[in-house]
Amino acid sequence: MTRTRHTDDPDSTAAAEDLLRRHAPQVLGALVRRYGHFDLAEDAVQEALLAAAGQWPAQGVPDNPCGWLIKVASRRLTDLLRAETSRRRREETAAALAPRDAFTAPPPGEGRAPAEDDTLTLLFLCCHPELSPAAQVALTLRAVGGLTTAEIARAHLVPEATMAQRVSRAKSRLRGVPFREPLPEDRDQRLAAVLQVLYLIFNEGYTATSGTALHRADLAREAIRLTRRVRLLLPREGSVTGLLALMLLTDARSAARTGPHGELIPLDEQDRSRWDRRAVAEGAALVEEALGQGPAGPYQLQAAIAALHDEAEDAGSTDWPQILALYDLLVRCTPEPMAALGRAVAVAMTHGPEAGLVEVAALEERLAGHHRLDAVRAHLLERAGDAEGARAAYRLAAGRTLSVPEANYLRMRAARILPENPG
C-alpha cells in the first residue's frame, strides 16, 4: 500500500493521532452496520487504532487511512467472533458476513470510505438512556473519540482497571440495541443527552473536579472536536451551535486561568491579553447564529453570557445588568442549581453583595455541601465587609473541594482577609 512521506517529529505523531480520532467513528460505524456486535466491533476498532498509532508515525500514513483501519479492524473482529462461544456458528456467521475482498483497502485515488457518517448514530448509542452519565461519558470518549481506556482513566484520575470495567459494563448493556438513530418522537430527548455528555466532558476538562491540575486540556479539546463534528451533521440545530459557542468562548480564557505555578487566577483578575481572541471571535459569531436558530435554550443563553464576559475590555466594563437579564431567562428554562448560583453572582454585581447573599441563602437546600456555594458566599461576604464570615466560608469551601488548585486559592483568600496571629 502506498504511504505518504513521514517524519519522526512530534508534529507527525500528533497529526497521525488527530487522523485516527477523526476516522474512529466512521470505522466503527462501518463494522457495526456490517456485522452488528457493537461491543466486539468497538474492541476491534480500538486494536486497529493502537496498531495504526504504533505504525503510522514511523512508516507513514496510508493513502487510504480509513480503508486501512477498516481492513485491520475487520480481521480482528473476525478473530473475536471466532473466539466466542458457539465457535462453529460464529465462524459461519463471520464467513457469511465478510466476503473475501469486502474490506480490502483500495488503491490510491479510489478511496473506499463509508457511504454514511455514523458519528451521530454512534453518539446516540453511546448516550443511550440505559447507561449512567459516567458510563455515557466513558463510552463516548472511547467509541467516538477514539481514546484508549488508559487515556480516559488518566483523564478521570481512576485506575485503568476501573475504567475498563465501566466501559465493559456499558457495552454489555447495549447488546441487542439496534444501531440506528432514535425514532423521531425520541430524537430531541436523545440529542439533549448527547449534548449533555459533551458538556460534561468539556466541563471536566476545563475545571477538573479533582486532582492537582485545574485544567485538563485534552478533555476540553476532545469535547470541542466532537461538538464541531455534531455541528457539521446538524448545522441548523441552535442547541448544538450554542454549545460549541459556549465551549469556544470559555476555553478561550484557558491560558490566563493559571499562574506560573499552576495557581488559579479568577476571571476578574486575568490578563485578558492572553485570551484567545480568534476563539472569542468565532464563539461570538456562533452565538449570533445560534440565537437565530429558534427559541434560545440553556446552551445559547450560557454562550451569550460568556460572550459578554469575553467581549468586555476589562472586568469593570462587564455588562452585568445584561448578564443578569440573560440569567433570568436561563433559570426559567433549566432546573440546574448552578444556573441559579450564577444568577446570584449577577444579582450581587448589579444590585450589591447583600442582594446576592439573599439569593445564595435561597439555594442552601439545593446546593447543600457544595463548595461552589460556600465560595460564592465567601466572596460576597468579603465584598460586604464581613471579614470573619468570609474567612470561615472560604475555609469551608476549601475543605469541600477535591481540586487542589481550587483549595489552595480558597485558603489563600481566607488568609488574605484575616491572617493568622503569629502566636
Side-chain angles (χ1 to χ4, degrees):
M1 180 184 294
T2 305
R3 293 177 180 267
T4 58
R5 288 186 60 192
H6 65 274
T7 64
D8 292 327
D9 61 65
D11 288 342
S12 176
T13 301
E17 290 175 354
D18 289 344
L19 191 63
L20 290 173
R21 290 182 180 178
R22 190 165 71 246
H23 284 303
Q26 294 176 292
V27 176
L28 179 55
L31 263 66
V32 176
R33 282 190 180 279
R34 183 90 182 178
Y35 293 90
H37 300 286
F38 170 81
D39 53 341
L40 295 177
E42 201 279 326
D43 287 338
V45 171
Q46 281 289 319
E47 294 198 25
L49 294 174
L50 287 171
Q55 294 179 33
W56 291 4
Q59 300 177 11
V61 176
D63 285 347
N64 183 358
C66 195
W68 190 98
L69 289 167
I70 289 175
K71 181 178 180 181
V72 172
S74 175
R75 288 174 176 169
R76 181 55 184 147
L77 179 55
T78 301
D79 291 341
L80 292 171
L81 287 169
R82 287 174 176 160
E84 286 283 287
T85 37
S86 304
R87 183 182 182 90
R88 182 175 300 173
R89 181 166 55 83
R90 294 279 189 188
E91 288 178 349
E92 291 172 353
T93 302
L97 288 172
R100 184 176 299 275
D101 63 346
F103 291 108
T104 301
E110 298 180 17
R112 179 198 292 270
E116 301 180 50
D117 188 332
D118 289 305
T119 301
L120 192 58
T121 305
L122 283 170
L123 278 166
F124 281 128
L125 185 61
C126 292
C127 301
H128 195 278
E130 284 289 321
L131 303 179
S132 69
Q136 291 174 341
V137 167
L139 197 55
T140 296
L141 287 172
R142 190 174 141 108
V144 187
L147 275 67
T148 65
T149 302
E151 288 173 325
I152 302 168
R154 283 197 300 272
H156 286 86
L157 302 180
V158 300
E160 184 176 349
T162 300
M163 187 57 68
Q165 289 179 345
R166 186 179 301 174
V167 171
S168 179
R169 285 195 297 266
K171 290 193 293 186
S172 295
R173 293 185 70 88
L174 293 180
R175 283 179 186 156
V177 176
F179 184 69
R180 67 185 183 205
E181 290 196 21
L183 298 174
E185 58 267 28
D186 299 326
R187 182 181 177 280
D188 287 349
Q189 184 177 359
R190 294 285 297 280
L191 178 60
V194 168
L195 298 183
Q196 177 67 11
V197 165
L198 296 176
Y199 184 58
L200 288 172
I201 294 171
F202 177 80
N203 281 348
E204 182 61 27
Y206 187 72
T207 302
T209 53
S210 61
T212 58
L214 179 69
H215 185 217
R216 295 177 192 157
D218 53 345
L219 277 183
R221 282 197 305 267
E222 187 61 21
I224 292 172
R225 186 186 74 83
L226 291 175
T227 307
R228 285 192 187 279
R229 190 72 177 272
V230 176
R231 184 169 179 267
L232 284 174
L233 300 170
L234 300 172
R236 288 179 289 279
E237 286 280 353
S239 57
V240 178
T241 306
L243 179 57
L244 179 58
L246 174 60
M247 289 180 179
L248 290 171
L249 289 163
T250 306
D251 196 58
R253 309 174 201 142
S254 295
R257 292 180 69 226
T258 53
H261 304 293
E263 64 272 21
L264 184 154
I265 301 176
L267 179 63
D268 59 349
E269 297 177 16
Q270 289 175 14
D271 178 0
R272 300 188 176 212
S273 69
R274 299 186 65 199
W275 288 2
D276 184 344
R277 288 298 164 187
R278 290 179 62 183
V280 170
E282 182 184 1
L286 287 172
V287 169
E288 294 293 329
E289 186 176 337
L291 293 175
Q293 291 177 325
Y299 298 124
Q300 295 96 310
L301 292 170
Q302 289 179 79
I305 291 168
L308 287 171
H309 281 296
D310 285 14
E311 292 176 335
E313 291 186 8
D314 51 50
S317 304
T318 305
D319 189 348
W320 283 107
Q322 181 64 24
I323 289 175
L324 177 57
L326 289 168
Y327 268 117
D328 286 338
L329 295 174
L330 180 61
V331 296
R332 290 176 198 163
C333 67
T334 178
E336 289 297 323
M338 285 302 167
L341 186 60
R343 181 182 176 277
V345 174
V347 167
M349 298 303 293
T350 304
H351 300 299
E354 291 80 6
L357 285 167
V358 172
E359 300 292 333
V360 168
L363 294 171
E364 285 286 353
E365 186 175 344
R366 296 172 69 191
L367 286 170
H370 200 294
H371 76 279
R372 295 200 188 283
L373 181 71
D374 298 314
V376 169
R377 181 191 292 109
H379 177 66
L380 298 185
L381 288 170
E382 183 179 2
R383 290 189 63 223
D386 183 351
E388 189 62 34
R391 188 177 78 154
Y394 275 129
R395 285 184 163 180
L396 185 60
R400 285 176 166 169
T401 181
L402 298 176
S403 167
V404 174
E406 285 189 331
N408 290 340
Y409 169 76
L410 292 165
R411 292 191 188 99
M412 179 273 293
R413 291 297 296 249
R416 191 170 72 180
I417 294 172
L418 191 60
E420 295 284 356
N421 293 324

